[in-house]
Amino acid sequence: MLSRLIQRSRLLSADPNGPEEFAYLEMQYWAASISCLSVLVFFLWHLRKSTNNGMSKHLKYGSFSVALYSMTYFLSFLLKTDGGLMVMPNMVYMLCHGVAAVILIKHILENFPSCSSFGEALLVCSGLVLYFGDMLAHTLSKMEFSMSSKAFIHTPGTRSDMTTVIQGILLGLFLLPLLYKSSLQVWGYCRLEGNQRTQAVEEYTRKRNGSAVFYILLVVVLMFLVPSWTHMVQGLKVHPFVWIINYMFTDSHERLALCAYWICVIYVSVRRFYNISKQSKTERILLRKYYHLVAVLIFSPAVIFQPAFLDLAFGAAFAVFLVLEMIRIWEIYPLGKLVHQFMNAFTDHRDSEILIVSHFSLLLGCALPKWMSSGLNDRPLAPFAGILSLGIGDTMASMIGYKYGVLRWSKTGKKTIEGTAAGITSVLAACSILVSLLASSGYILSQNWLSLLIAVTLSGLLEAYTAQLDNAFIPLVFYSLLCL
């Protein structure tokens, strides 16, 4: 967020809506900061309860950092408002982000302990809270019941229809689990006691009813809830699905050709790699890296020739992944077992029977830099941050390190110096090719090669040393360094 703020500050004079968007981005920065700060406070509180011999050194430093950051946040809003009159509403709004982040990270760590570390859970909960906070801000700004909602929530007026459509569909799908669980509970309370049934019959009836409830709620959410929200927030007069179809056929030849290309690549790669996973002894880590290369083949042409359409495609793919994961977890008939069998062929130690995160992390690792680069962008390589770091760098580092790596970075780790060097070199080579392609396509390049070298090197070293999920962290770090 800080890198994005620095980048937007360079473009204020070139964009007539720049000050408004910069103010809203600054509010999002503080919201993300308060979310992380609240989680840190919660962690320090638990640490203090578990410390018997007084305050440890880490606890003292953490408490001092919390106090200093809180004072900085308060003074920043005090200076930006008229006499401090709007400090309290702003603080309440930000505090809601912090409370939501604490509740969410507690839920993630308790229910999915094998799927994420503390850092990964913090990244996920901060991102979700920020995303839903953005939805809430735009919703409140359109409501007329509160005269103060527009006073302290400065939403930019340049929001595109595509952003609203993507956000509306994801909002409905994120609310679907709550509606599904609540409906099943109501169904259980309202079900009349009948004749005694065997356990097998009871289980079959429960799954059949659960599947019916899921499909009904999915239709209700997508056909009624999502269009209602998009109409209220954006004034969209057509159904989001109709809008998507109209958008696809606006520039039909290029976009439909791109869709056909995607379908062919996905079909061939999935069929090929799935058969390999069942019949050969290929290491699963290498098999999963092949999908990183497939991501390069799928996304790179779209970033260059149809960047706006790729934003929509990323949103659609994420929505499909969410629906399929719900079907797999709840064993929704008839696809539940088939989806679980297919996805289980590509899992690793971070996945569990409860939640499979590998495909989500790869998709979001490629999508987030592209989504965050929407609008004015003076760093043409920034949208490629996920594709370069995951599809090229991470893949080459893993393959070269696995086959030829000898010198390890640590005695206990598996990552090698040869793999890291191969990853950094391959990303630099890919960047040189992309720069030539972008220049021939009419882009005005402002990326300094020295800063690019530093960004690629630091990202490669972080990939070698980090114990976190590199699909989630490395693209965001690389994107941040490219924006500076």
Side-chain angles (χ1 to χ4, degrees):
M1 294 299 298
L2 184 60
S3 299
R4 184 63 174 160
L5 273 174
I6 295 174
Q7 184 186 35
R8 292 298 304 180
S9 66
R10 296 196 300 264
L11 302 173
L12 284 176
S13 59
D15 185 7
N17 299 310
E20 184 182 14
E21 293 187 2
F22 183 83
Y24 184 67
L25 186 62
E26 187 177 16
M27 188 190 73
Q28 287 187 308
Y29 164 76
W30 283 112
S33 301
I34 294 301
S35 299
C36 296
L37 186 68
S38 301
V39 173
L40 178 60
V41 171
F42 179 73
F43 176 73
L44 292 175
W45 179 68
H46 272 276
L47 183 63
R48 183 166 185 174
K49 287 179 62 178
S50 62
T51 303
N52 298 325
N53 300 324
M55 296 183 66
S56 65
K57 180 175 66 174
H58 298 291
L59 185 58
K60 290 180 180 179
Y61 288 152
S63 302
F64 175 75
S65 301
V66 168
L68 181 62
Y69 202 88
S70 300
M71 187 175 297
T72 304
Y73 162 73
F74 181 80
L75 291 177
S76 174
F77 273 92
L78 186 65
L79 295 174
K80 285 181 175 294
T81 53
D82 299 331
L85 296 177
M86 294 306 299
V87 171
M88 190 55 65
N90 271 298
M91 292 187 67
V92 171
Y93 180 73
M94 297 298 175
L95 186 61
C96 291
H97 285 76
V99 173
V102 170
I103 295 174
L104 187 57
I105 196 172
K106 188 172 181 293
H107 177 78
I108 292 175
L109 293 177
E110 288 178 352
N111 293 276
F112 311 108
S114 62
C115 294
S116 64
S117 64
F118 181 81
E120 294 159 3
L122 179 61
L123 178 65
V124 171
C125 73
S126 299
L128 287 176
V129 168
L130 189 64
Y131 197 66
F132 278 99
D134 180 68
M135 295 179 187
L136 179 62
H138 282 87
T139 304
L140 291 177
S141 66
K142 299 297 181 179
M143 292 183 176
E144 299 178 355
F145 68 89
S146 174
M147 67 176 183
S148 62
S149 63
K150 294 184 180 180
F152 72 96
I153 302 178
H154 302 281
T155 56
T158 57
R159 187 180 179 86
S160 65
D161 291 344
M162 180 184 296
T163 302
T164 304
V165 168
I166 295 173
Q167 205 167 43
I169 294 176
L170 295 183
L171 171 63
L173 293 179
F174 278 121
L175 292 177
L176 182 59
L178 300 177
L179 298 175
Y180 178 72
K181 290 293 185 181
S182 302
S183 300
L184 290 184
Q185 290 178 357
V186 173
W187 179 274
Y189 291 142
C190 298
R191 188 176 56 183
L192 298 176
E193 294 292 337
N195 298 328
Q196 294 293 332
R197 298 176 178 177
T198 63
Q199 185 176 0
V201 174
E202 185 68 22
E203 182 69 15
Y204 174 78
T205 303
R206 184 187 64 81
K207 289 185 177 181
R208 183 184 61 184
N209 294 336
S211 300
V213 170
F214 175 82
Y215 289 123
I216 292 173
L217 287 176
L218 181 62
V219 172
V220 170
V221 165
L222 295 180
M223 300 306 296
F224 299 102
L225 179 61
V226 172
S228 300
W229 187 82
T230 55
H231 177 72
M232 180 183 65
V233 172
Q234 191 72 10
L236 207 62
K237 296 182 180 180
V238 298
H239 193 281
F241 290 160
V242 176
W243 185 93
I244 292 174
I245 294 174
N246 292 335
Y247 180 82
M248 288 184 60
F249 284 93
T250 300
D251 189 6
S252 59
H253 295 293
E254 196 166 323
R255 289 171 183 167
L256 292 179
L258 190 60
C259 289
Y261 168 74
W262 286 341
I263 293 173
C264 292
V265 173
I266 292 173
Y267 174 77
V268 172
S269 59
V270 168
R271 184 170 182 177
R272 174 63 176 168
F273 296 150
Y274 184 66
N275 291 332
I276 292 177
S277 68
K278 294 191 301 182
Q279 299 173 2
S280 71
K281 297 182 180 179
T282 304
E283 286 288 337
R284 186 163 293 190
I285 182 63
L286 295 180
L287 188 63
R288 291 173 61 247
K289 296 305 176 183
Y290 292 145
Y291 275 99
H292 289 212
L293 292 177
V294 172
V296 176
L297 294 176
I298 293 175
F299 302 139
S300 295
V303 178
I304 298 175
F305 301 108
Q306 283 288 335
F309 184 53
L310 182 60
D311 289 338
L312 181 62
F314 275 137
F318 187 63
V320 171
F321 281 1
L322 283 175
V323 174
L324 291 178
E325 188 65 9
M326 294 177 199
I327 291 175
R328 186 194 68 83
I329 292 174
W330 294 323
E331 299 180 353
I332 303 298
Y333 181 83
L335 299 176
K337 292 184 179 180
L338 294 176
V339 174
H340 178 73
Q341 181 182 2
F342 175 78
M343 294 302 301
N344 194 51
F346 306 102
T347 57
D348 63 4
H349 65 282
R350 296 181 183 273
D351 299 314
S352 66
E353 292 292 327
I354 302 176
L355 186 66
I356 297 179
V357 299
S358 300
H359 54 302
F360 284 107
S361 62
L362 176 59
L363 177 66
L364 289 178
C366 296
L368 287 176
K370 178 63 185 71
W371 282 340
M372 296 174 69
S373 301
S374 300
L376 287 180
N377 177 36
D378 63 342
R379 295 291 187 264
L381 290 179
F384 293 88
I387 300 172
L388 290 170
S389 58
L390 296 182
I392 303 295
D394 185 45
T395 302
M396 294 303 297
S398 296
M399 290 184 172
I400 299 300
Y402 177 80
K403 292 185 177 181
Y404 307 106
V406 177
L407 303 175
R408 300 189 182 276
W409 284 104
S410 63
K411 295 180 179 179
T412 58
K414 296 182 179 180
K415 297 181 179 179
T416 63
I417 296 177
E418 293 88 349
T420 302
I424 294 174
T425 304
S426 61
V427 172
L428 288 174
C431 287
S432 64
I433 297 174
L434 276 176
V435 166
S436 302
L437 289 175
L438 293 173
S440 63
S441 301
Y443 283 86
I444 300 176
L445 302 178
S446 59
Q447 192 80 51
N448 184 273
W449 278 102
L450 178 60
S451 63
L452 179 61
L453 176 62
I454 295 174
V456 173
T457 304
L458 291 178
S459 299
L461 293 176
L462 179 63
E463 190 274 336
Y465 275 98
T466 184
Q468 309 295 327
L469 183 61
D470 50 6
N471 285 9
F473 280 90
I474 304 302
L476 294 178
V477 172
F478 190 36
Y479 169 81
S480 301
L481 294 173
L482 289 176
C483 288
L484 295 177

